[in-house]
Amino acid sequence: MHLTAEQGDITTVHVDAIVNAANSSLLGGGGVDGAIHAAAGPRLLAACRELRRTTVPDGLAVGDAVATPGFDLPAAWVIHTVGPNRHRGETDPDLLVSCFTRSLDVAADLRARSVAFPAVSAGVYGWDPDDVARTAVAAVRSWDDANPAAVDEVRFVLFDAAVHDAFERAL
Ligand code: AR6
């Protein structure tokens, strides 16, 4: 697997699937979630509402992942995951590992060959960017070891220079 970090806006990236740092409601928010909903257009919110009506009526659990189409995005798919929120005492790194590995499970099920991740939980949810970066890199590498050649490329797309630096250090 080809693993890279770059500074940029994940809504503009040409990959098969981008990952959204959503919340359990799946009904939108700020940060990268707000940017993805704005760029994908209103059909994304409608698809998320349909998921809430059918697959995840009680909301998406922390560490789990589900997919919708990407609609107006360059990416074919959006994989929505919910990171642990430090401000609610969600400090178990396994929850964050699960965000990355469950997202890659969903990507593989969709036959997505290239996936872009933001720094899940490194914004509003209050995790230290270095902890997120180390956890993300280790999680993706161990998933790749367990699922050889299932996904060809993972790009970490980081909005902030400081978060990008953290991912470069982790890689
Ligand atoms: N492209 C890439 N990264 C981005 C972009 C973008 N367009 N915009 C922001 N980031 P956050 P969380 C970075 O807060 O901590 C939402 O309201 C941002 O700089 O988006 O998991 C959800 O609805 C930061 O480094 O996600 C939830 O309620 C990283 O994305 C809650 O926030 C993650 O920051 C989730 O919080």
Side-chain angles (χ1 to χ4, degrees):
M1 177 192 279
H2 195 221
L3 201 55
T4 57
E6 66 205 87
Q7 196 179 346
D9 176 353
I10 203 166
T11 65
T12 66
V13 167
H14 290 256
V15 286
D16 295 331
I18 67 169
V19 175
N20 181 18
N23 57 62
S24 290
S25 81
L26 293 180
L27 301 180
V32 71
D33 192 9
I36 288 171
H37 274 272
R43 288 178 296 167
L44 180 59
L45 185 56
C48 287
R49 287 210 168 102
E50 184 61 14
L51 281 175
R52 285 299 307 278
R53 206 180 61 76
T54 55
T55 323
V56 284
D58 298 328
L60 187 64
V62 176
D64 204 356
V66 287
T68 62
F71 299 107
D72 297 342
L73 291 165
W77 301 101
V78 178
I79 297 169
H80 308 264
T81 191
V82 182
N85 184 349
R86 271 203 103 79
H87 305 305
R88 281 203 307 245
E90 293 162 355
T91 56
D92 180 356
D94 286 346
L95 292 170
L96 194 55
V97 167
S98 177
C99 290
F100 290 91
T101 57
R102 284 288 304 128
S103 294
L104 288 170
D105 289 340
V106 171
D109 287 346
L110 294 168
R111 305 272 181 269
R113 308 298 315 177
S114 54
V115 181
F117 280 99
V120 178
S121 290
V124 172
Y125 282 179
W127 280 63
D128 180 289
D130 278 304
D131 289 342
V132 172
R134 275 192 296 265
T135 303
V137 168
V140 171
R141 284 194 176 136
S142 72
W143 185 91
D144 185 45
D145 288 342
N147 301 272
V151 170
D152 298 325
E153 183 184 29
V154 165
R155 291 164 65 175
F156 294 111
V157 180
L158 300 321
F159 207 58
D160 302 328
V163 180
H164 175 239
D165 289 348
F167 274 78
E168 288 291 0
R169 279 193 291 277
L171 285 169

